[in-house]
Amino acid sequence: MSDHKFRFGVVATPEGGGEQWAATAKRVEELGYSTLLMPDGLQLLSPFPSLAVAACATTTLRVGTFVLASPLRAPRAAAWEGHSLSVLTGGRFDFGIGSGRPEAQRFAEALGRPWGSAGERLQAVAESIEQLRELDGDRHTPVLVAAGGPKALALAARTADIVTLAAPPLSGRDHHAGMVAQLRDAAGDRDLEIAINLFVVGDEIPPWTRHFIGADHATLVANDSQTLLRGTPAEMADELQRRRDAYGVSYISVNGAFFEQFAPVVELLTGS
């Protein structure tokens, strides 16, 4: 279903200062990952300077936001930051954006920004991408859109280079296949790279991850959750190939808690 080759990213945040973060970026690159991705929120450091440090510490590793919450910045401001990082990294930056998880509302309020309706937040995503394209000129910063509902999938189909499937944590492969079918119908001839994020690798789930996704390991298994991957490296690689055959996903990001554990799968599949 997909002509895209496998590539992999790590979703992580800085801990312990700039030197430790730079060392993490170097290790992610050394293990063969394509991208180091960073979430957005006032409980974290700002993603743009953090990703600039990571890019400066590496030579081939791409960096990206995963994903900006559109209510936290005016569209022109988000585009300005993204374009600047694209230029400064020599084109190694991916502009990831979405309409924001519910908990981002308090961040918007703290910044004095309107939260807005779902439609207004999605419109801000579209405007941020338009502003980025205007600033880029002849440059093309890859855009990743996190999309779940029909309207977000339609916007991603029109504007994104990469679409990460923002499905509920307990969603199985049939739900993901349905999302991709909607996406491809709306995209027409546009070639999109389809991504998913793995919250859990193996048979243990960190307490903070369990709290974040609201489910224990057994529940994830029972629901064939696509945010979980387990087994030996060969078994996990086989399962990812089945998912690519089923709904075209080829870009896999993984929770930073598991990037060392997941590295053998990266070695088996990258570029295949």
Side-chain angles (χ1 to χ4, degrees):
M1 187 176 182
S2 173
D3 294 329
H4 288 275
K5 297 183 183 299
F6 280 111
R7 69 183 181 113
F8 298 89
V10 174
V11 181
T13 59
E15 296 179 3
E19 289 187 5
Q20 185 173 333
W21 177 237
T24 296
K26 290 177 182 177
R27 182 59 176 161
V28 168
E29 180 179 55
E30 181 181 84
L31 290 173
Y33 288 92
S34 168
T35 319
L36 179 59
L37 303 159
M38 188 171 165
D40 189 26
L42 293 187
Q43 81 279 24
L44 307 170
L45 296 178
S46 172
F48 289 105
S50 300
L51 293 171
V53 168
C56 286
T58 56
T59 56
T60 63
L61 188 71
R62 301 190 65 79
V63 296
T65 46
F66 195 80
V67 293
L68 297 179
S70 66
L72 303 191
R73 299 164 188 83
R76 188 71 173 188
W80 177 44
E81 297 280 11
H83 171 74
S84 299
L85 196 48
S86 182
V87 171
L88 291 172
T89 60
R92 287 192 286 137
F93 172 69
D94 294 343
F95 184 82
I97 190 166
S99 57
R101 295 176 57 85
E103 58 266 27
Q105 182 170 0
R106 62 187 175 90
F107 302 145
E109 291 170 352
L111 291 168
R113 296 274 308 155
W115 177 243
S117 66
E120 289 168 337
R121 298 195 302 274
L122 196 60
Q123 180 59 31
V125 172
E127 291 177 5
S128 299
I129 296 169
E130 289 172 6
Q131 294 284 346
L132 176 65
R133 295 296 181 227
E134 180 182 318
L135 289 171
D136 270 354
D138 292 336
R139 174 181 295 277
H140 184 87
T141 302
V143 167
L144 178 152
V145 171
K151 292 180 180 178
L153 289 167
L155 173 64
R158 295 193 306 270
T159 62
D161 302 289
I162 310 157
V163 183
T164 190
L165 302 177
L170 297 184
S171 299
R173 70 192 68 218
D174 289 345
H175 182 89
H176 284 69
M179 292 174 70
V180 172
Q182 291 181 59
L183 184 65
R184 295 203 185 281
D185 284 345
D189 293 335
R190 295 193 73 239
D191 180 34
L192 299 174
E193 186 177 33
I194 309 299
I196 57 169
N197 183 46
L198 299 175
F199 281 109
V200 183
V201 174
D203 296 319
E204 299 291 333
I205 180 169
W208 70 267
T209 303
R210 177 176 175 173
H211 175 74
F212 182 77
I213 64 179
D216 61 17
H217 193 276
T219 303
L220 294 177
V221 172
N223 284 272
D224 189 29
S225 169
Q226 300 295 280
T227 199
L228 166 68
L229 195 66
R230 59 188 184 135
T232 67
E235 288 168 342
M236 288 190 280
D238 287 345
E239 169 59 17
L240 288 178
Q241 288 174 321
R242 284 191 290 271
R243 294 184 189 186
R244 184 170 66 178
D245 290 342
Y247 55 89
V249 61
S250 59
Y251 181 19
I252 314 297
S253 58
V254 63
N255 179 337
F258 300 102
F259 83 89
E260 292 276 1
Q261 178 182 343
F262 192 65
V265 182
V266 174
E267 185 176 2
L268 286 172
L269 287 182
T270 294
S272 66

